[in-house]
Amino acid sequence: MADSSGSNPQSPGFTEKLKSWLCWSWTYICALWFAMVLTMVYVLRSPLKLQETVNAASVFLNTLTPKFYVALTGTSSLISGLILIFEWWYFRKYGTSFIEQVSVSHLRPLLGGVENSSSAGLFSSVNGDTEQRSNVAECKVWRNPLNLFRGAEYSRYTWVTGKEPLTYYDMNLSAQDHQTFFLGDTQQLRPEDSVMQKAWRERNPQARIRAAYQAIELNRECAAAYVLLAEEEATTITEAERLFKQALKSAGKDTNLVVYIKRRLAMCARKLGRIKEAVKMMRDLMKEFPLLGMLNIHENLLEALLELQAYADVQAVLAKYDDISLPKSATICYTSALLKARAVSDKFSPEAASRRGLSTAEMNAVEAIHRAVEFNPHVPKYLLEMKSLILPPEHILKRGDSEAVAYAFFHLQHWKRAEGALNLLHCTWEGTFRIIPYPLEKGHLFYPYPGCTETADRELLPSFHEVSVYPKKELPFFILFTAGLCSFCAMLAMLTHQFPELMGVFVKAFFSTLFAPLGFFADKMESFMPSCLWHQLANV
């Protein structure tokens, strides 16, 4: 049975071999067909009167004035310049070439090409199953642990600048989070819960606020409605804190609501300067609900402890959460690097280090910085103020630009407070890229850098922000091609306008040289083949 199945011509192995053979032979078949077409055209040149047609075309071209060629090359330069501008704009906005994208999406399937792996099924093959699953996990979007308040912070930015700091995609993810977190059991919805379920889905902020008041009218103890008002209607942190306390009284034994409200109350205390109170609330929350580590409350705690300059407590938290079995974040990696850099940065000098070499403590600090930069290479430019900061989004992509913005927004002040830490970062962070020359293929301490971060970050970050891309993309071929074509046509137009006679001589010499091999090939064929055979083929 095994032998018969192995020799079955319909087996997958035979089919794959047949496909590979066809793909290999197709190129040679096309070349042979093209050669045959050229041969037939040459053979039938007399019946088709090709020589007379070429001579007539030559006479027509010779009668054209230099102004025509100036207009031709100038128009070509203008058109290619417009294509170049559009290609450059499209590349800056979407990170890819428009012509290349259209070619891959529409022309490649028509020519028998294989579809892009990103558009194929996630679990299309057994061998690629693990790789595809890990890629999806790496590109998972997470709730920002330190996200701001919409009414008291995001809305103020909009009032001052007229720009929207949050994208619709980001806000839609938040609406889904709130529906899942606060209204998990849809089988037992109360009337006010149904109202709140619709409220989270409303796109207009005022409509959400009106729905929250409608829910409170149905039930004065609707905690989710107070949460929405605290997040979106309160214009100050003090007002938001008051509404969260009201929500906590009405939350009862709803674990999800209690955890969310207590965390936001701790964040209110942190923003109002009651940092020790905030630290206590976060520690109590982590002790009361130890299984909710996915909410990353420890990142709120780390930021508050850094503000208190309680570095020993920060190290204790890192010892618990900076574990090889736990998922990492920019906060974990860069806080660890900050503590090690702080120990040596006040006396660090690049000149002295180059003379005497790095000490053990300095080497540990540099290695910690390299580790952090490998995890998220976008952060240093924000910490070193080489790139302007914006308000962080409500969701982040780990290892992406959105996470870098969120981390730097809250932690830049802590790096500035540690004397010399930013100087050490400035001197050493680019050394990471020598360790990982091909980050998309192989990492050093982490998995290879995911290639999906740019697309997700463009959805999470506002359009006025220039998304950081890593590794830096080279300019697409079609941008370089259109730039060269535009420059070449413009140069030809200028030279033809200035030196019409000289350019005419040059063009004639160029085409004579270009068609010389064809004439040589035709002469050889005539001398090789019997003249009677050419006569008979021409008669046919």
Side-chain angles (χ1 to χ4, degrees), residues 240-251:
E241 185 180 39
R242 178 184 62 80
L243 288 168
F244 275 122
K245 288 180 178 178
Q246 178 66 34
L248 185 61
K249 293 178 183 177
S250 308

Side-chain angles (χ1 to χ4, degrees), residues 259 285-297 321:
V259 171
L285 191 58
M286 293 167 66
K287 289 179 182 177
E288 188 177 357
F289 304 99
L291 299 179
L292 294 179
M294 66 185 74
L295 298 178
N296 296 322
I297 303 174
Y321 289 97

Side-chain angles (χ1 to χ4, degrees), residues 308-523:
L308 288 175
Q309 301 184 48
Y311 297 111
D313 292 336
V314 172
Q315 186 61 58
V317 175
L318 286 176
K320 182 178 180 180
Y321 289 97
D322 193 6
D323 186 83
I324 192 171
S325 61
L326 297 176
K328 298 294 181 290
S329 66
T331 301
I332 293 291
C333 295
Y334 277 90
T335 302
S336 177
L338 173 60
L339 292 189
K340 292 180 179 179
R342 176 181 167 273
V344 298
S345 60
D346 57 335
K347 299 178 181 178
F348 176 78
S349 170
E351 294 79 10
S354 62
R355 288 196 305 269
R356 58 174 171 77
L358 294 174
S359 64
T360 303
E362 289 172 339
M363 183 63 72
N364 291 337
V366 171
E367 289 177 353
I369 289 174
H370 287 175
R371 170 179 178 258
V373 173
E374 181 184 353
F375 182 83
N376 194 316
H378 308 283
V379 172
K381 286 190 177 181
Y382 293 107
L383 293 180
L384 298 172
E385 299 181 272
M386 300 164 64
K387 207 168 184 291
S388 58
L389 270 173
I390 60 170
L391 295 186
E394 292 184 336
H395 290 80
I396 59 173
L397 182 69
K398 288 191 175 182
R399 306 188 74 178
D401 191 34
S402 51
E403 184 191 35
V405 169
Y407 172 79
F409 184 85
F410 293 101
H411 289 262
L412 176 58
Q413 56 181 329
H414 307 314
W415 280 82
K416 287 184 175 181
R417 188 178 293 125
E419 183 182 354
L422 288 175
N423 178 47
L424 180 60
L425 177 68
H426 174 73
C427 295
T428 58
W429 74 280
E430 291 182 325
T432 310
F433 307 128
R434 291 193 291 271
I435 303 173
I436 44 172
Y438 305 104
L440 296 178
E441 301 173 11
K442 184 179 180 181
H444 179 59
L445 298 174
F446 298 99
Y447 289 111
Y449 189 80
C452 60
T453 56
E454 181 186 355
T455 304
D457 281 330
R458 290 186 188 279
E459 295 286 344
L460 291 171
L461 296 168
S463 58
F464 59 82
H465 173 72
E466 183 181 354
V467 175
S468 177
V469 179
Y470 175 81
K472 196 68 175 177
K473 287 187 175 181
E474 296 182 357
L475 286 176
F477 164 76
F478 286 105
I479 290 183
L480 300 175
F481 176 76
T482 51
L485 181 62
C486 177
S487 304
F488 179 71
C489 292
M491 181 182 68
L492 283 182
M494 183 183 67
L495 291 175
T496 306
H497 177 70
Q498 293 291 332
F499 312 103
E501 296 180 358
L502 183 61
M503 287 299 295
V505 173
F506 173 78
V507 169
K508 289 179 181 178
F510 173 78
F511 281 107
S512 299
T513 306
L514 181 65
F515 289 110
L518 294 177
F520 176 78
F521 177 73
D523 293 339

Side-chain angles (χ1 to χ4, degrees), residues 22-65:
L22 289 174
C23 293
W24 173 81
S25 62
W26 183 249
T27 304
Y28 299 97
I29 293 173
C30 290
L32 180 62
W33 177 83
F34 185 70
M36 291 175 62
V37 170
L38 289 179
T39 304
M40 291 301 297
V41 169
Y42 179 78
V43 169
L44 300 174
R45 67 188 187 280
S46 296
L48 295 176
K49 298 182 179 180
L50 294 180
Q51 188 67 35
E52 292 82 349
T53 305
V54 171
N55 292 334
S58 300
V59 172
F60 173 75
L61 292 176
N62 289 329
T63 58
L64 294 175
T65 63

Side-chain angles (χ1 to χ4, degrees), residues 174-195:
S174 297
Q176 295 176 16
D177 292 343
H178 293 144
Q179 284 181 273
T180 305
F181 208 59
F182 301 147
L183 306 168
D185 188 5
T186 57
Q187 301 296 326
Q188 301 178 353
L189 288 180
R190 297 168 296 179
E192 62 272 19
D193 294 333
S194 299
V195 173

